[in-house]
Amino acid sequence: MQNAQDMWHVGRHRFTSRLLVGTGKYADMAQTKTATKASGAQIVTVALRRVNLDASRGPSLQETLDPKIYTYLPNTAGCATAKEALRTLLLARELGGWNLVKLEVIGDAQTLYPDAHETLEATHMLVKEGFEVMVYTTDDPLNARQLEEAGAAAIMPLASPIGSGRGILNPHNIRTIIAQSRVPVLVDAGIGTASDACTAMEMGCTGVLMNSAIACAKNPVLMATAMKHAVIAGREAYLAGRMPMREAASPSSPMMGKIA
Amino acid sequence: MIGANIYAITACMLQLTINGETRHLPAGSTVADIIRDARIDVREVAIMVGERIIARSAYGVTVLHSGDAVEMVSFIGGG
C-alpha cells in the first residue's frame, strides 16, 4: 500500500505514487487502460500528434484515461530543437491547461540520446513561459546540474537508452545526481524489469518513469503490477536504511549457549 | 456559361492544407468548421494556423484563407 504520508512534490504538485508511466506501445486502448490502472500511476506521459483526418478513429486517449483522474504529462517526443519543443508544449497547454510537462529533445535517432545543448536551451525557454519542466537528460551530473540551475522542476536521467530495457548502466552517476540535486530525480528510460525500478528507488530516486518495460512485457498488466510493488518496495527499503555491507561474515544466530 | 460557373465556384472555395494534406473548403470556413468536419471532440484538439496557436474561444471566429497551413493535433499514447 502506498503511504499517504510519503508524498512527493514537483513544481506546485503533490503525488503519492512514485511510478510514472508512458502510454505508448500498447496493443490497444483497452490494454493501455488496464495496465495503467494496475500500475497505480497518477501521472501518465502523453505525446501530441496530428489527428488522422480520414481513418475512422477508435476511442481517444482522453476517453481511455480520464484527464480528471490522471495527471497528463505532455511530452515533446519527436522534437529536435528547443523551438519545436516550445511549440508542442504551448499547443498542449492550449489543449488542456497542463503546465507540468516532460521535456525531451532527442539528438540522435539511433541512440535516442538527448541533445544536451537544445535541452538546456529549451529548459530556459519553457521556464520563462511558466512551465514546470521535468527534463529527460543523460546521466551526466554536469548536465543535470545545469538543467537544475536553469529552473527544471525535476531531473530525469536515463538508466539506459529508451526502449533498451538494460537497466541502470551507471549507478554511480545516478547516485551523484541524487546527492547534488535539490529537485526530484526520477530515472526515466531504460528500465527493463521490476528489479531495475526497485534498485533506482533504493538509491534514493524520487520516482521512476517507464513505458517499454510495461508495454513490451509478455504480460503488460502483470508487469504493471510488479512495477507498482517494486517501486513501493524500493522506496520503503530506502526509508528503512539498509544494513551496512561488511567485508567479513557475521552470523545471524548467537554463538553463546550452543550445544557442546 | 460553364466557364463563368467554374469561375464562380473557384472564387467561393479555399485551398489550404490540414495536417499536410490539401483540402478545398468553402470561402468563409472557420476553424470550428474543420473541427466539426473531422468529427473530433473540440476538447481533444489543438489548432495552429501557420505559426499561430488558435485559442479555443476563437475557433468559431477564426476564418481560414487560401494558402493557410493548418495543424490539427491531439494527445496520443507516448513515453
Side-chain angles (χ1 to χ4, degrees), chain B residues 20-44:
Chain B
E21 296 175 20
T22 301
R23 287 284 191 270
H24 296 95
L25 302 174
S29 292
T30 64
V31 166
D33 291 331
I34 61 170
I35 292 172
R36 193 192 53 243
D37 290 346
R39 294 179 313 282
I40 189 163
D41 188 328
V42 71
R43 293 165 299 181
E44 296 186 6

Side-chain angles (χ1 to χ4, degrees), chain B residues 2 4 6 11-12 16 23 27 31-32 34 40-42 44 46 49 64 66-68 70-71 76 79:
Chain B
I2 291 174
I6 289 173
C12 296
L16 45 69
R23 287 284 191 270
V31 166
I34 61 170
I40 189 163
D41 188 328
V42 71
E44 296 186 6
V49 178
L64 298 166
S66 274
D68 277 343
V70 179
E71 293 287 337
I76 63 159

Side-chain angles (χ1 to χ4, degrees), chain A residues 83-104:
Chain A
K83 191 175 165 197
E84 285 174 15
L86 176 61
R87 183 180 64 179
T88 296
L89 294 176
L90 287 172
L91 276 164
R93 190 155 68 181
E94 189 56 44
L95 238 174
W98 289 283
N99 238 27
L100 185 67
V101 296
K102 171 178 163 175
L103 172 65
E104 64 176 81

